[in-house]
Amino acid sequence: MSMEKAVYVQLMENILEKIRTGEYRVGEKIMSERQMAMQYGINRLTVRSAIKKLVEEGTLVSIQGKGTFVSRLPKNEKKVPFGDAENVSLSRNLVQSDFQSTRTVLSFKRIENQGVTQDYFPDSPWLYELIRLSRIDDQPYALQICYFPAALFKQPERFNFGEGSLYTYMEMQGHMPKTIISNMEVQEVPAAYQQVMEAGPKKLVFAYEYFGFDEKHQLVEFTKAYYMPEYTSFKYVTKK
């Protein structure tokens, strides 16, 4: 470890990174003080200081006679908010956050409607598939795989989806989603996307599905998205 920063601080950051990447999961036991001291070639008192600090912050919990366990994901005061029915646009949410964000179009093509999307768009033989990766503070944040019917949307290849919002394009085409139905679950990053999201096989993310309906109540968008949890907060409201 470098001597430019206190060794116990470096060890804290190392532990936090292992939690963020899924190497240590919530509820799992981390290495013992002795194992860490041997692995990194540092004093056990230094290891103890790092663990004590993370316990005080609530990220770890020590149980006498059993060891130290991950109690929660690392705190991050900056979050991208979701859960507001009036604002489901990732572009808009990123603009309103304090993050420096960029977005890259990984793939855009016209595809034959087959598989699960046939159930969603039964009257559309062809779809457009748009895959984009958003980064915040130069770290992978969200991967979105969007499908929309080719029969309703014209010349999407002329629109810059790297800089512009999908909903801006849809509004220009007269099919802006007015009603959004969404589902969210926590799951591991699918193997096909682990490399692009720079995530290990055990990394847990928010997996979100969006179904967007225009004012005529026809489905105009189906999106599958994966969000890094350390940068995301969700708000849900239940009504009686």
Side-chain angles (χ1 to χ4, degrees):
M1 291 187 173
S2 169
M3 299 304 294
E4 296 180 358
K5 185 183 294 186
V7 176
Y8 86 93
V9 174
Q10 295 182 61
L11 181 57
M12 286 176 58
E13 293 175 348
N14 180 273
I15 294 171
L16 291 172
E17 183 62 20
K18 289 180 184 294
I19 297 172
R20 291 189 185 101
T21 59
E23 186 171 338
Y24 291 147
R25 300 174 71 168
V26 174
E28 288 186 346
K29 182 179 178 180
I30 68 171
M31 282 193 294
S32 68
E33 292 180 5
R34 182 179 61 82
Q35 290 173 318
M36 287 192 197
M38 291 181 60
Q39 177 169 328
Y40 298 114
I42 57 179
N43 190 287
R44 283 187 65 174
L45 290 177
T46 301
V47 176
R48 192 167 300 164
S49 295
I51 291 177
K52 180 181 178 182
K53 183 65 175 176
L54 291 174
V55 168
E56 291 173 351
E57 293 178 356
T59 304
L60 300 178
V61 58
S62 292
I63 302 176
Q64 188 173 3
K66 293 186 177 181
T68 304
F69 299 80
V70 179
S71 60
R72 70 181 184 192
L73 290 171
K75 290 186 66 177
N76 190 332
E77 298 302 325
K78 291 166 58 177
K79 299 280 187 177
V80 179
F82 283 90
D84 184 346
E86 296 180 356
N87 187 10
V88 297
S89 169
L90 176 59
S91 301
R92 191 174 305 164
N93 285 333
L94 286 173
V95 168
Q96 293 174 351
S97 72
D98 293 328
F99 291 111
Q100 296 294 319
S101 63
T102 59
R103 181 166 55 203
T104 304
V105 175
L106 302 180
S107 173
F108 179 66
K109 56 188 175 182
R110 188 171 183 264
I111 63 171
E112 187 174 356
N113 185 8
Q114 54 188 350
V116 67
T117 55
Q118 282 186 310
D119 295 331
Y120 303 148
F121 303 100
D123 300 324
S124 302
W126 295 93
L127 303 175
Y128 287 112
E129 179 191 69
L130 172 64
I131 303 178
R132 299 182 294 180
L133 175 68
S134 293
R135 289 178 171 268
I136 52 179
D137 293 351
D138 203 33
Q139 298 296 317
Y141 166 60
L143 182 72
Q144 296 176 305
I145 304 96
C146 311
Y147 298 93
F148 48 101
L152 296 179
F153 296 97
K154 308 301 180 183
Q155 300 180 320
E157 63 278 357
R158 295 188 176 184
F159 189 81
N160 187 342
F161 290 108
E163 296 182 1
S165 167
L166 173 62
Y167 288 171
T168 297
Y169 166 74
M170 289 184 161
E171 186 174 25
M172 293 167 57
Q173 295 284 310
H175 294 286
M176 173 70 174
K178 298 295 184 180
T179 302
I180 302 292
I181 297 176
S182 58
N183 302 303
M184 190 274 282
E185 63 180 13
V186 177
Q187 66 178 53
E188 295 179 354
V189 178
Y193 305 129
Q194 287 173 11
Q195 183 175 1
V196 70
M197 295 196 74
E198 300 177 16
K202 293 184 178 181
K203 175 66 177 179
L204 295 177
V205 296
F206 292 121
Y208 224 85
E209 288 185 339
Y210 298 93
F211 298 86
F213 298 83
D214 65 11
E215 61 185 3
K216 295 181 180 180
H217 308 293
Q218 57 185 340
L219 183 66
V220 295
E221 172 208 9
F222 167 63
T223 294
K224 182 76 172 181
Y226 302 94
Y227 300 97
M228 291 297 193
E230 54 266 35
Y231 301 115
T232 310
S233 65
F234 285 95
K235 178 179 71 174
Y236 288 93
V237 178
T238 58
K239 297 182 179 179
K240 294 182 179 181

